[in-house]
Amino acid sequence: MTQERTTYPWVGFIILAAVIIGHCHYSLTVGGLDFSVYRSGAMTIFNNEGFTKELYQIDLHKISDTFWLPFTYPPFAALLFLPFAFIPSWLGISLMLALSFAVAWWIASLSYSYANQRGITIPFQDRLGPKGTIALLTALILITGPWRRGLGLVQINPLIMLLVMLDLLRPATKLPRGVLIGIAGGIKLTPLAFGLILLMRKDIKGVISLGVSFASTIAIGALLLPQEAKDFWFSAISDPSRVGNINYPDNIAILGWLMHLGIPEGSLLKILQYALILLLLLGTAALLPILHARGMIISEIALNAFLMMSMSPISWSHHNTWLPLIALALWVDAFGTFFSPGQLLTQVAKILSWIAILGLSISPLKIAEIIDPHSQDLNYASAPALVISALPIISLYLVILLWIWTGLSKRKQLLAPTP
């Protein structure tokens, strides 16, 4: 007769509570910078609190004479942020944090189920129990580099992630798939890249729904904020001065890490950028049907998310809220099914994965600060700081390519009917 092992779920909840309290204290005292931009953008609509600046004024949220932040989202986003203009800033930040914490819990729950359904046990789950393990996973998500910095800034990215994942995971019944992705694209343009999943599934209805939904956000913005819509679509969207320094250590896009490696602006940089984007795009498009056929929906989303961030000229590391999903996809699917145990290629992929996940969890910005501890402005980070901080995202790019190559080389085997 075996004795049932005692579980201690409260351990996971205590750790989660400590992490949440730490985030709330920071965001409500010295953080919330990006939220202040969202709120300032919303305040321009009705000039709340005597705020008379224009929505796309370059110094919309001015910190000092040398530091300011513009509103970089479409007019539709400003309309969605409008409720924040009518409530105190602390309350808006609290609501955003609560929603972000809920999204992190949901992702942790999905991760727990996804791994267990594939026969993979989360470390300590036998001691923590299901709820305690999910609580611990949520805490781990919240302290990874992208989430840690994003919550400090009180960023919108967790909610964008929620819209995209809900659209791709839910049954496409009365509301066609693609609608929520289109709305996410209306808030922040980059999620439109997830249309590739629908395209490779040959979900034409979903692609059309995405396009109609996104077009509707443009129409709503143009109808309610006509001058602002004109300013954004014909001027602000193409103004490079609004997006920041592409060579800043925190930029994890392909263009960013190529510049971190010391490649100067010019023809060579553009050729390498577009070649690497095309390679990743074609590889991702080819692997998606294989992942879909095997029911690896989390890997579909994670792979497409990485493509989305890589293609953009600027993807700050805190945009990578997808990192926990990418780590899960590599652990459960890539190394669980695609890579053959014991092979040299598999060992190389594992090393690259550890460098990528650990480095990005620390965050490129923190790595650059460690390398350049006396730098007053990381816009002028040293060459060693730029190169070393870029190693995690370069490692992730390489391991994703290895995953794609392995998947395509085993295509027939992976698509063969399982007995």
Side-chain angles (χ1 to χ4, degrees):
M1 186 176 185
T2 58
Q3 185 176 5
E4 187 175 342
R5 178 175 284 190
T6 304
T7 58
Y8 305 94
W10 53 269
V11 174
F13 283 97
I14 288 176
I15 295 172
L16 176 59
V19 170
I20 287 177
I21 290 171
H23 275 303
C24 290
H25 174 72
Y26 180 85
S27 299
L28 287 166
T29 54
V30 298
L33 182 60
D34 282 8
F35 175 81
S36 65
V37 178
Y38 306 154
R39 189 168 186 266
S40 294
M43 288 168 63
T44 64
I45 297 175
F46 292 113
N47 294 334
N48 292 66
E49 300 179 15
F51 196 77
T52 58
K53 291 186 177 181
E54 299 297 324
L55 180 59
Y56 294 106
Q57 190 168 324
I58 195 70
D59 61 343
L60 175 73
H61 188 75
K62 193 171 183 179
I63 310 298
S64 67
D65 290 337
T66 57
F67 182 41
W68 38 259
L69 292 171
F71 190 84
T72 58
Y73 300 99
F76 178 73
L79 292 169
L80 288 184
F81 295 141
L82 192 57
F84 294 131
F86 294 92
I87 61 176
S89 180
W90 67 266
L91 179 57
I93 288 175
S94 299
L95 291 173
M96 288 284 287
L97 288 176
L99 289 170
S100 297
F101 296 149
V103 173
W105 177 275
W106 181 62
I107 293 169
S109 301
L110 285 175
S111 300
Y112 178 87
S113 299
Y114 195 79
N116 277 249
Q117 287 168 5
R118 284 154 176 77
I120 294 179
T121 302
I122 308 290
F124 305 112
Q125 79 171 55
D126 59 331
R127 305 299 297 179
L128 296 173
K131 293 298 183 184
T133 304
I134 292 170
L136 181 60
L137 288 175
T138 305
L140 291 175
I141 288 170
L142 295 177
I143 63 172
T144 58
W147 282 81
R148 188 176 68 246
R149 180 157 172 77
L151 288 168
L153 295 169
V154 191
Q155 261 272 338
I156 191 69
N157 289 298
L159 303 184
I160 297 290
M161 185 179 182
L162 176 66
L163 286 174
V164 170
M165 291 187 64
L166 283 176
D167 214 358
L168 293 171
L169 294 174
R170 67 183 175 84
T173 51
K174 293 183 179 180
L175 185 68
R177 188 166 284 116
V179 169
L180 299 182
I181 295 174
I183 293 173
I187 300 171
K188 186 176 183 178
L189 301 177
T190 50
L192 296 175
F194 284 95
L196 180 64
I197 291 180
L198 302 177
L199 187 63
M200 297 314 298
R201 289 180 183 176
K202 299 180 180 178
D203 184 357
I204 304 305
K205 183 178 180 181
V207 173
I208 294 172
S209 298
L210 187 159
V212 171
S213 176
F214 176 62
S216 298
T217 68
I218 297 176
I220 291 170
L223 180 66
L224 299 179
L225 299 173
Q227 183 57 51
E228 289 83 351
K230 180 181 177 182
D231 292 342
F232 178 79
W233 295 107
F234 294 100
S235 177
I237 193 173
S238 58
D239 182 359
S241 67
R242 304 178 64 85
V243 295
N245 176 14
I246 295 176
N247 200 27
Y248 193 62
D250 208 37
N251 186 9
I252 60 171
I254 287 175
L255 179 58
W257 57 257
L258 283 174
M259 294 183 71
H260 300 343
L261 293 178
I263 301 172
E265 293 188 64
S267 300
L268 177 60
L269 179 64
K270 289 295 181 184
I271 291 171
L272 289 173
Q273 177 197 3
Y274 292 131
L276 291 174
I277 288 175
L278 184 61
L279 179 62
L280 183 62
L281 173 61
L282 294 177
T284 300
L287 189 61
L288 285 175
I290 299 174
L291 296 172
H292 186 63
R294 296 192 64 92
M296 296 176 173
I297 178 62
I298 294 297
S299 288
E300 287 183 77
I301 297 172
L303 194 65
N304 206 120
F306 180 72
L307 172 67
M308 172 189 71
M309 292 180 293
S310 297
M311 292 172 62
S312 176
I314 286 184
S315 290
W316 303 128
S317 66
H318 59 265
H319 294 163
N320 190 17
T321 49
W322 309 90
L323 182 62
L325 281 191
I326 294 172
L328 177 69
L330 287 171
W331 179 31
V332 174
D333 290 339
F335 291 105
T337 300
F338 288 77
F339 291 109
S340 301
Q343 290 188 353
L344 177 60
L345 180 67
T346 303
Q347 299 307 314
V348 171
K350 284 184 177 180
I351 293 170
L352 290 171
S353 296
W354 277 108
I355 294 172
I357 302 305
L358 289 178
L360 292 171
S361 293
I362 295 170
S363 93
L365 198 59
K366 182 62 65 176
I367 292 171
E369 289 175 352
I370 293 171
I371 304 300
D372 276 359
H374 303 297
S375 176
Q376 299 299 314
D377 187 354
L378 287 176
N379 278 301
Y380 305 99
S382 67
L386 287 171
V387 171
I388 294 173
S389 65
L391 291 180
I393 193 62
I394 295 172
S395 297
L396 186 56
Y397 181 88
L398 292 174
V399 78
I400 293 295
L401 286 188
L402 289 177
W403 184 9
I404 290 170
W405 184 85
T406 303
L408 297 182
S409 65
K410 296 181 178 179
R411 181 183 179 87
K412 290 183 179 180
Q413 175 186 337
L414 291 166
L415 292 178
T418 54

